Amino acid sequence: MSKIKIHHAAEVMVITVDNPPINAGSTEVRQGLLDAIHLLESNIDLKAAVIIGSGNTFIAGSDIKEFSQPLADPHLPLVIEAIENCSKPVVCALHGAALGGGFELALGCDARIALEGTILGLPEVTLGIIPGAGGTQRLPRLVGVEKSIELICSGSRIKADVALELGIVSEVVKTELLTHAITLARSMIGVKNRIRDRSTPAVLAEMVAAASKKALKAGKNRPQVQRAIEMICNSLKLPIDEALAIEREVFQGLRTSVEAKALRHQFFSERKLFKALGFNDAKPQTLNQIAVIGAGTMGSGIAMACLNAGYAVILLDQNEVALANGVKRVEQFYESRLHGGKMHQETVLELLGRFLHSSNWNAIASADLVIEAVFEDIAVKHQVFKEIDDHAKEDALLASNTSYLDIDAIAAASKNPSRVFGLHFFSPAQVMKLIEVVRCKATSSIAMATGFSFAKRLGKMPIISANSFGFIGNRIYAAYRRQCEYMLEEGAYPEQIDKALEDYGFAMGPFAVADLSGLDIAWGMRKSQAATRNPEHRYVSIPDALCLANRLGRKTGAGYYLYAEGAKEKSTDPIVHEMIDAASKAKGLQRRTVTPEEIVKRVLLTMINEVAHLLSENVAREASDCDIALVNGYGFPRWQGGPTFIASEMGQALLDQGLRELAILSGPGFVLANTDVLFKNSRD
């Protein structure tokens, strides 16, 4: 079936891209466009053309599945070349989204007109590549080098009104896009207006350097950002055909890189996340008002996340001081957004108009969803759920924000456990993308479907988890941190481990994270598990020793690192080295050099092993869900793909060999997982 539809409006050919759902620029679309342009050129009765998309969008990007294979002819640059070489003007009519190759196609046309609200952008860097069909050459000729670096290197998207201000589109209309586009095309009959014929506006070298420095910092200095800057700057010094040829060569080289493959893995994993969820077609309940119990840092953060999503919110805390602090935290957050120019005053006033707070349990009577975010103590949570049962309406859904506690045990305190599920937010809740939606044994499909729908509206990445200690993210992180503690005993120091992992791409190393969050949190958990811990299993006492010395992290000025008063950066502390050396000696361990390569390898293998356990125990639904969790909640570098991507690149034989070696290094208590679950799909 043809992906391109053609009809005539007197002298104007209307070329419609019809490749639902997003009109992706596939091989069939490119061939259809090329054929249409050749037909336009050869038909003496046709004087101009309009390219438009069917349905709700123009072309929202290329077919990314094609990027993993040799690209079939015709390539997009050939289509754009045909448009530019055509003697007749071609107008692009944009609506919905014109992204990636869709935007580059538009830049190859003689004029662009957009429907109000259209989104435009070149997001290729987020997939490990650069625009490969002239984006780095034509955009600078319209908006200049400095602005092109900003837009291309961030992969950001702009709305039609901004595109109009920048001169990318010539007109923005509210209705009747096609009619206006045909009128524009008729007005251009006999006129070509190729961007390639323009010169890139001159710019001061220091302005280019400043824009490049900013883009590289924001883009983590990744190769595609570096190369994008080089290509954009070529527009100032090279003939366009030479610059286009170099751009295409760089694009092809990056497209086949492991990093681009890893980023595509993340892209498809996240897209799959929002597809069939196995809720037996349960329809989510409608939520209008959300009650949040507990006005601490997490509770106020959850309240803000809900307010940002358009919900009415009630923040409840029986401690008047805690409530006042929580309300102040919310108000100050929006004040900072206002003063920073990120929100308008009208928006802030409307948003705070939906925000209520109370210390009276009766205030939650009208809430559709009640989220408890109180102290991590099972007795405290049981008491809270008893109050919720007494005061919430019967059809309200109830969620716990617990990180580690048995959520089935929490649900058991409710009169109706079928309406209870977990919503594990990550701090700061108004910022972090990850949220775990946890199914209890008695949770209804409607409750789960509602929880997932709610998380989507918050703009989160919702990972479905069964009830298990630490759920998905914290369980993998606990195994990872434990492995790092083993390496402390064996010969590494905190700063060496942190540096190796940060150099690999982690946002922060595990010991810097521990100091930031507070060592006493994990200490309390370890103490609660002490009675059930197998004494034969390997246990590292170094974190306990730090806590006993009141080295609880940043809040006490010392943890794994030292934090001098007023100092912005942490510093290593010889006392910590002495404590670690003493712990190794007490166990009779001969300290040795642990290389950065060994540190990274052991951490990755540990994560992969834990993912395999989670899949075998049916805690996680999909292996790729674990990759999404680590990237969006734990600072795992997106461009490395995640543990399951790394496992697939290694292959099962090499992975199993590495895990057997890891088990020997880790000692008693380390349980080898069955990696068959990671490679099941590749064999099916």
Side-chain angles (χ1 to χ4, degrees):
M1 186 176 180
S2 175
K3 305 294 185 183
I4 299 294
K5 310 293 183 186
I6 295 175
H7 74 274
H8 299 166
E11 299 174 301
V12 178
M13 172 188 278
V14 177
I15 305 167
T16 303
V17 180
D18 185 20
N19 187 24
I22 64 167
N23 290 331
S26 64
T27 304
E28 293 90 343
V29 167
R30 295 193 298 272
Q31 185 63 60
L33 286 169
L34 189 60
D35 292 343
I37 297 301
H38 288 159
L39 182 60
L40 170 68
E41 183 66 67
S42 63
N43 191 325
I44 60 173
D45 295 325
L46 295 171
K47 308 298 184 184
V50 169
I51 302 177
I52 194 168
S54 65
N56 298 319
T57 193
F58 179 61
I59 297 176
S62 298
D63 186 346
I64 297 173
K65 291 178 182 176
E66 292 186 353
F67 286 7
S68 299
Q69 311 153 14
L71 292 179
D73 291 328
H75 293 192
L76 185 55
L78 185 64
V79 178
I80 294 173
E81 182 182 356
I83 293 171
E84 289 184 324
N85 289 340
C86 181
S87 62
K88 302 168 184 178
V90 180
V91 171
C92 230
L94 310 176
H95 72 294
L99 301 174
F103 188 18
E104 289 181 291
L105 175 69
L107 292 173
C109 294
D110 297 282
R112 289 147 296 283
I113 183 171
L115 193 65
E116 194 173 63
T118 302
I119 300 295
L120 303 89
L122 295 169
E124 284 85 351
V125 293
T126 64
L127 291 172
I129 56 177
I130 64 167
T136 68
Q137 300 309 305
R138 294 184 180 89
L139 189 63
R141 284 167 167 78
L142 278 182
V143 304
V145 166
E146 188 180 6
K147 191 66 179 180
S148 294
I149 289 173
E150 176 191 330
L151 294 175
I152 292 174
C153 294
S154 65
S156 60
R157 305 174 184 199
I158 58 172
K159 288 191 176 181
D161 56 343
V162 177
L164 181 64
E165 291 175 11
L166 293 172
I168 295 172
V169 299
S170 59
E171 190 177 351
V172 175
V173 297
K174 294 185 177 182
T175 59
E176 303 296 335
L177 173 64
L178 181 57
T179 300
H180 286 284
I182 291 171
T183 300
L184 177 59
R186 286 194 179 119
S187 74
M188 295 181 65
I189 289 174
V191 178
K192 289 291 286 183
N193 185 26
R194 306 188 306 176
I195 292 175
R196 64 174 291 123
D197 296 331
R198 304 184 184 191
S199 297
T200 304
V203 63
L204 295 174
E206 53 264 34
M207 294 175 68
V208 174
S212 300
K213 182 179 179 181
K214 183 178 179 181
L216 287 167
K217 182 179 179 181
K220 311 290 185 186
N221 209 34
R222 302 315 306 157
Q224 68 271 25
V225 179
Q226 298 175 30
R227 300 313 302 271
I229 293 170
E230 292 174 23
M231 296 306 102
I232 294 165
C233 290
N234 279 346
S235 72
L236 287 165
K237 56 191 178 185
L238 295 179
I240 187 167
D241 287 325
E242 184 180 343
L244 287 171
I246 296 170
E247 176 201 71
R248 190 66 182 176
E249 184 180 350
V250 171
F251 163 79
Q252 294 284 35
L254 289 170
R255 179 178 67 83
T256 56
S257 68
V258 174
E259 182 163 323
K261 186 177 178 182
L263 288 165
R264 288 196 295 273
H265 166 78
Q266 275 289 323
F267 173 84
F268 286 119
S269 297
E270 291 175 1
R271 193 166 76 171
K272 182 168 62 174
L273 179 68
F274 292 100
K275 289 189 176 179
L277 296 167
F279 294 132
N280 299 318
D281 298 321
K283 185 178 180 181
Q285 286 184 201
T286 299
L287 304 178
N288 295 307
Q289 190 176 70
I290 314 297
V292 181
I293 313 301
T297 301
M298 181 58 78
S300 55
I302 294 171
M304 286 184 270
C306 295
L307 287 168
N308 293 341
Y311 290 108
V313 176
I314 303 161
L315 182 64
L316 185 143
D317 199 307
Q318 289 191 290
N319 184 314
E320 295 283 0
V321 174
L323 180 62
N325 288 336
V327 171
K328 184 178 180 181
R329 200 175 291 116
V330 171
E331 292 174 345
Q332 286 180 338
F333 172 78
Y334 290 113
E335 284 173 12
S336 68
R337 302 281 290 177
L338 177 62
H339 296 316
K342 295 180 179 179
M343 276 189 173
H344 296 297
Q345 187 170 10
E346 297 79 10
T347 304
V348 171
L349 290 173
E350 185 277 329
L351 195 144
L352 291 177
R354 291 185 269 108
F355 179 49
L356 302 174
H357 43 87
S358 176
S359 59
N360 190 325
W361 280 106
N362 290 326
I364 71 169
S366 58
D368 303 301
L369 170 65
V370 182
I371 305 171
E372 110 7 61
V374 300
F375 185 67
E376 282 283 87
D377 179 277
I378 193 72
V380 173
K381 291 188 185 286
H382 278 170
Q383 182 58 39
V384 165
F385 268 83
K386 182 181 181 303
E387 294 287 355
I388 293 172
D389 265 343
D390 290 343
H391 295 90
K393 60 185 181 181
E394 288 187 4
D395 63 344
L397 297 178
L398 317 180
S400 172
N401 179 58
T402 184
S403 304
Y404 285 103
L405 296 177
D406 183 347
I407 198 163
D408 280 315
I410 294 172
S414 174
K415 294 174 184 175
N416 181 7
S418 70
R419 63 176 180 160
V420 179
F421 60 99
L423 281 175
H424 179 210
F425 288 81
F426 289 75
S427 187
Q430 72 274 22
V431 174
M432 295 294 285
K433 294 283 286 183
L434 180 64
I435 185 171
E436 290 176 316
V437 185
V438 186
R439 186 197 295 270
C440 305
K441 289 177 182 176
T443 305
S444 70
S445 293
I446 291 176
M448 284 300 292
T450 306
F452 193 87
S453 176
F454 168 72
K456 279 177 63 178
R457 180 165 162 180
L458 296 189
K460 305 293 187 184
M461 282 290 171
I463 304 297
I464 306 296
S465 174
N467 182 29
S468 173
F469 179 78
F471 310 130
I472 292 173
N474 278 347
R475 182 161 155 185
I476 298 172
Y477 188 77
Y480 149 54
R481 185 172 58 194
R482 192 161 54 243
Q483 187 64 229
C484 291
E485 290 167 358
Y486 294 163
M487 289 187 277
L488 285 183
E489 282 190 332
E490 294 167 25
Y493 291 116
E495 62 274 13
Q496 294 171 331
I497 293 173
D498 281 353
K499 184 177 188 305
L501 293 168
E502 288 166 10
D503 286 348
Y504 179 75
F506 280 80
M508 291 177 72
F511 301 112
V513 170
D515 276 1
L516 183 63
S517 59
L519 274 66
D520 51 327
I521 297 172
W523 189 34
M525 184 178 65
R526 290 193 301 273
K527 287 190 289 187
S528 70
Q529 296 173 319
T532 57
R533 187 181 300 121
N534 188 330
E536 295 182 2
H537 289 179
R538 183 175 179 181
Y539 182 79
V540 179
S541 60
I542 294 166
D544 295 351
L546 291 169
C547 290
L548 288 167
N550 198 38
R551 300 181 66 102
L552 305 181
R554 286 180 180 269
K555 59 189 171 186
T556 59
Y560 285 100
Y561 298 96
L562 196 61
Y563 302 89
E565 188 173 352
K568 292 184 178 180
E569 299 295 330
K570 61 185 183 296
S571 60
T572 56
D573 191 343
I575 293 174
V576 174
H577 286 206
E578 291 171 10
M579 294 173 74
I580 292 171
D581 291 345
S584 301
K585 185 176 181 180
K587 283 195 174 181
L589 294 171
Q590 182 66 43
R591 292 184 65 78
R592 63 178 179 85
T593 299
V594 183
T595 65
E597 294 75 19
E598 180 183 348
I599 291 167
V600 171
K601 182 180 179 181
R602 286 175 65 171
V603 162
L604 295 177
L605 286 170
T606 299
M607 288 181 163
I608 294 168
N609 191 67
E610 201 61 37
V611 169
H613 279 307
L614 288 165
L615 291 168
S616 297
E617 297 165 22
N618 295 315
V619 176
R621 297 168 54 255
E622 295 269 358
S624 57
D625 286 359
C626 301
D627 291 343
I628 295 171
L630 290 168
V631 165
N632 287 280
Y634 294 86
F636 194 101
R638 177 177 289 271
W639 60 89
Q640 300 289 4
T644 67
F645 172 80
I646 293 163
S648 69
E649 289 292 291
M650 292 177 68
Q652 191 168 11
L654 187 60
L655 173 63
D656 285 346
Q657 178 186 333
L659 288 176
R660 286 192 294 270
E661 294 169 358
L662 181 67
I664 294 169
L665 287 168
S666 301
F670 183 89
V671 180
L672 270 174
N674 181 351
T675 60
D676 286 351
V677 291
L678 296 171
F679 296 90
K680 179 179 180 296
N681 290 340
S682 62
R683 290 193 299 269
D684 287 350

